[in-house]
Amino acid sequence: MRKTCGLFIVLILAAGMLAAGCTSTQSSGPGPENTLVVGEMWRVSSINPGDGHGGGTFITEKAIVTETLVGADANFTLVPNLATAWRQINDTTWEFDLREGVLFHNGEEMTAESVVFSLDRVAESSPGTATLLDYNSSEVVDRYTLRIHTNTLNPLVPGTLHYPDTAIIHPDSYDASGAFTTPIGTGPMKLESFNEQTGEVVVVKNSEWWGGEPGLDRMIIRGYESPATRAMLAESGEVDFTVDPPYSEVDRLDALDGVHVEKYNTPRIYKLDVNLNRPQMDDKNVRKAISHAIDRDGIVDNVLYGVGSPAGGVFLPTMTWANTTLKPYTYDPALAKQYLAESGWTDTDGDGYVDKDGKNLKVKVVTYTERPGLPPMLEAIAANLKSVGIEVETLSMENSALTVAMADGTWDLYLSATNLAMVPDPEYVLKGWYTTTGSSNTAGYSNPEVDRMIIEGHNISDLDERYDHFRRIEAIVYDDLPTINVAYYGVAVVMKDTVNGYKFDPTAHDYRIDPFMSISA
């Protein structure tokens, strides 16, 4: 019955796609035997790696059409990729050696000239990326060497060049007017078609890839934002590979004939941003109470079904710069009530809720629906808070609608699943989340000591000294609780048993397609 339902939904979706029309010139029919059909978790709206709007993540990690100069290993240590080595020449100059013999998909060799062109265009089209690089200019030293000039000292340059939005594309990716047209990259797959109306992307094998012979001949990628839909498509066999079905479905899917599920940790964290502009949330005792009221182990076991782990500090313990002394806040309802009482919040009328000055302590907790762990986690957290006497209002909706709903500032806690390593360096997260003017400081947090330390840390180039410095900052925000860390994110990868050779990349945004995967009969 479930399979029939899933197939019925797929047929409806397919009919909708046909009705919408198609802008591509290529068919997405069955194709060669080694064709992987991917159920992506977001609708594909961009294939431009430099647009600053998700195109880089998709086209670099999921379609594997483009590549970055710098890679990262499982501990998030930077490693060569399109660049084989790099060095700091002076405070504002970095020199990069390029891998020789790398061909773009149009057959032309990657040279310093084409890389400089690509970086210049990214800096023009994505102000956020240009800011991360502190980009001034680039110059060609010789055919396989270039220099990047920054405005000030910036140790983040190599790490930022791991960011998918900095992926290298050929100048012919733009038309005569300078407008982006198609990503001509160096990756193991090359673009065949992109249907802007349906979001379907088709890529084919790049037999000239410098990294070896790709295992897949073709890949068809379609976005399905509903976790339940992704589960049904995996069960019905309409997709070969997808991620993050409802976590309550993981064990059932894994038990199906012909399907298996693999669980991995990813550089992402479930966290509650605290709205410090709300008077009750600006009270550190209340924040401590909320953190101790949350049953992190119970959430991981019973809500996430083991897909993840309880969170202590901001960073995963596997990250080389993480402060591993920071353990998850203990689940201690009695201690939570004690913190509330210290700030005058007690149940004076016996209604089960703490109150002060005749008003109950009430918090509004909000989240979005696209990631399967968030809505059930929201309900679990609400139950935890109610158990210590906090009245809770919850709101769960699609991300775009939630952004509008939060604009009035009446929310208290915002539950999200946020990436930690688009740039493999602690400054990227700590500066964005916790400086007074940080680009992702949703909490409205302001601590002059943290601001000062992050400025100081930016100028430390020695990695051991740098990481120790940022570990101290991580400890400060762990104690201040402008964000309450709940769990490290886990991803559930659902594959047909006919999919072979998949190796998970723990540094990827959600997941990275392995170029050496293949499909067996």
Side-chain angles (χ1 to χ4, degrees):
M1 184 67 179
R2 192 176 293 269
K3 290 189 178 183
T4 303
C5 178
L7 181 57
F8 178 69
I9 289 175
V10 171
L11 291 173
I12 292 175
L13 291 170
M17 289 179 182
L18 290 172
C22 182
T23 61
S24 68
T25 58
Q26 300 290 337
S27 168
S28 59
E33 182 178 331
N34 264 329
T35 296
L36 183 76
V37 180
V38 177
E40 161 61 352
M41 63 194 304
W42 304 100
R43 187 186 185 279
V44 182
S45 59
S46 172
I47 57 171
N48 181 355
D51 66 358
H53 301 291
T57 298
F58 173 78
I59 206 69
T60 303
E61 297 185 345
K62 298 171 181 180
I64 53 176
V65 167
T66 54
E67 299 174 295
T68 55
L69 291 175
V70 178
D73 66 15
N75 294 321
F76 300 87
T77 300
L78 300 180
V79 297
N81 201 35
L82 291 181
T84 57
W86 49 89
R87 63 200 68 86
Q88 192 168 6
I89 301 299
N90 56 48
D91 282 356
T92 59
T93 306
W94 287 83
E95 188 170 88
F96 288 81
D97 299 330
L98 297 179
R99 191 178 298 278
E100 299 183 22
V102 174
L103 299 180
F104 286 104
H105 296 153
N106 60 4
E108 295 190 15
E109 187 180 22
M110 181 189 71
T111 64
E113 183 178 3
S114 54
V115 171
V116 166
F117 177 91
S118 185
L119 293 175
D120 282 345
R121 295 310 297 266
V122 167
E124 292 171 10
S125 60
S126 177
T129 305
T131 299
L132 278 173
L133 282 169
D134 192 22
Y135 192 80
N136 180 284
S137 63
S138 295
E139 65 170 316
V140 174
V141 177
D142 58 40
R143 186 171 180 83
Y144 302 112
T145 311
L146 70 145
R147 287 180 179 169
I148 297 175
H149 300 283
T150 58
N151 296 302
T152 59
L153 175 69
N154 186 15
L156 283 176
V157 168
T160 302
L161 295 176
H162 173 266
Y163 188 36
D165 284 16
T166 67
I168 304 303
I169 54 177
H170 190 273
D172 288 351
S173 302
Y174 302 87
D175 63 19
S177 70
F180 175 84
T181 55
T182 188
I184 302 174
T186 61
M189 306 296 282
K190 52 188 178 181
L191 186 72
E192 180 179 278
S193 64
F194 171 43
N195 187 317
E196 294 186 26
Q197 291 179 316
T198 66
E200 180 185 272
V201 174
V202 180
V203 294
V204 295
K205 175 165 57 177
N206 172 23
S207 296
E208 303 300 318
W209 183 45
W210 63 270
E213 181 73 13
L216 296 170
D217 293 317
R218 195 165 183 251
M219 186 161 52
I220 302 170
I221 308 172
R222 306 183 184 105
Y224 304 98
E225 295 191 347
S226 165
T229 299
R230 295 196 295 273
M232 285 187 288
L233 294 173
E235 182 175 356
S236 68
E238 294 298 309
V239 299
D240 302 307
F241 181 104
T242 191
V243 299
D244 280 358
Y247 295 137
S248 58
E249 292 279 280
V250 165
D251 289 342
R252 188 188 65 81
L253 289 170
D254 194 37
L256 295 174
D257 290 340
V259 176
H260 67 280
V261 181
E262 299 176 4
K263 303 175 186 178
Y264 299 97
N265 290 325
T266 65
R268 187 177 292 276
I269 190 170
Y270 293 106
K271 66 181 174 77
L272 288 161
D273 285 295
V274 181
N275 187 352
L276 298 175
N277 293 313
R278 304 274 279 176
Q280 69 269 31
M281 293 293 102
D282 194 39
D283 185 335
K284 187 173 177 179
N285 280 335
V286 172
R287 301 197 298 274
K288 292 276 189 181
I290 290 172
S291 194
H292 282 293
I294 295 173
D295 182 5
R296 291 168 175 79
D297 289 325
I299 286 173
V300 168
D301 292 341
N302 303 314
V303 176
L304 300 179
Y305 293 84
V307 186
S309 57
V314 174
F315 298 113
L316 275 67
T318 53
M319 291 177 163
T320 187
W321 56 80
N323 187 333
T324 56
T325 68
L326 304 177
K327 305 302 180 184
Y329 274 71
T330 57
Y331 173 51
D332 193 334
L335 182 58
K337 292 179 180 179
Q338 179 180 321
Y339 276 117
L340 292 174
E342 288 178 5
S343 286
W345 294 101
T346 58
D347 184 5
T348 62
D349 55 10
D351 68 349
Y353 294 111
V354 296
D355 57 84
K356 182 167 62 173
D357 300 329
K359 294 183 178 180
N360 288 352
L361 176 56
K362 181 177 180 179
V363 300
K364 182 178 180 180
V365 192
V366 303
T367 195
Y368 49 95
T369 56
E370 283 84 351
R371 293 192 180 272
L374 290 174
M377 187 182 291
L378 175 69
E379 297 307 314
I381 290 172
N384 286 160
L385 299 187
K386 289 176 182 177
S387 71
V388 298
I390 300 174
E391 189 176 349
V392 181
E393 176 188 353
T394 61
L395 178 65
S396 178
M397 55 176 55
E398 290 184 356
N399 193 38
S400 57
L402 182 64
T403 300
V404 175
M406 290 175 64
D408 64 6
T410 61
W411 59 276
D412 296 289
L413 298 168
Y414 167 53
L415 178 64
S416 66
T418 306
N419 191 273
L420 294 169
M422 296 300 278
V423 174
D425 186 279
E427 181 184 342
Y428 167 69
V429 166
L430 295 178
K431 179 180 179 180
W433 294 7
Y434 300 118
T435 58
T436 301
T437 58
S439 59
S440 301
N441 184 359
T442 307
Y445 177 64
S446 181
N447 182 327
E449 181 184 11
V450 169
D451 289 347
R452 174 184 59 78
M453 291 181 69
I454 286 179
I455 291 172
E456 291 174 354
H458 178 78
N459 296 311
I460 301 174
S461 296
D462 179 83
L463 289 184
D464 289 338
E465 183 183 351
R466 179 178 179 82
Y467 293 165
D468 281 343
H469 182 85
F470 281 103
R471 289 183 188 111
R472 291 194 291 274
I473 300 173
E474 187 182 359
I476 293 172
V477 297
Y478 168 89
D479 182 67
D480 279 352
L481 288 172
T483 61
I484 297 171
N485 305 323
V486 181
Y488 300 123
Y489 195 92
V491 62
V493 181
V494 187
M495 289 178 280
K496 287 182 179 178
D497 290 345
T498 52
V499 177
N500 304 307
Y502 177 65
K503 292 182 180 179
F504 184 75
D505 181 351
T507 72
H509 182 264
D510 291 308
Y511 63 90
R512 186 189 298 272
I513 292 294
D514 189 306
F516 300 111
M517 295 166 66
S518 62
I519 308 293
S520 60

